[in-house]
Amino acid sequence: GVGAAYEQWNGRGWPGTLKAGAIPVAARIAQLAEFMEVAHRVGGEGDATALARRRAGRQFDLALVALLQAHGREIFDGLDAAPAWGP
């Protein structure tokens, strides 16, 4: 998964040798999570899910974005409860 961390769903990531279901699911989840954490911190749940929708099928796995859309409140709940680098 680590070696495919920058691959994108549409195959335009780096190094660009994998696309769609060929990208390990761990890499797909990690990439979406990284972007969603930052987007949520900057603009909240609405901005994060809007970003995911815009990039679904291009950068992000369509099925993972659908899960985020359906369960966003649960996924983002408590994200701000503790500092990311705190105890």
Side-chain angles (χ1 to χ4, degrees), residues 45 49 67-77:
E45 182 181 337
T49 55
L67 285 170
L68 180 69
Q69 298 293 298
H71 301 283
R73 187 163 308 251
E74 297 166 65
I75 292 168
F76 292 118
D77 186 40

Side-chain angles (χ1 to χ4, degrees), residues 59-71:
Q59 182 177 4
F60 303 132
D61 179 329
L62 294 160
L64 293 178
V65 172
L67 285 170
L68 180 69
Q69 298 293 298
H71 301 283

Side-chain angles (χ1 to χ4, degrees), residues 13-28:
W14 186 87
T17 58
L18 300 174
K19 67 187 258 186
I23 301 169
V25 72
R28 290 182 263 157

Side-chain angles (χ1 to χ4, degrees), residues 27-84:
R28 290 182 263 157
I29 291 169
Q31 186 177 118
L32 181 62
E34 176 185 358
F35 278 80
M36 293 303 97
E37 187 279 325
V38 172
H40 180 268
R41 185 169 11 103
V42 171
E45 182 181 337
D47 284 358
T49 55
L51 173 67
R53 270 194 312 274
R54 283 193 308 274
R55 295 186 180 183
R58 295 185 337 210
Q59 182 177 4
F60 303 132
D61 179 329
L62 294 160
L64 293 178
V65 172
L67 285 170
L68 180 69
Q69 298 293 298
H71 301 283
R73 187 163 308 251
E74 297 166 65
I75 292 168
F76 292 118
D77 186 40
L79 194 58
D80 294 323

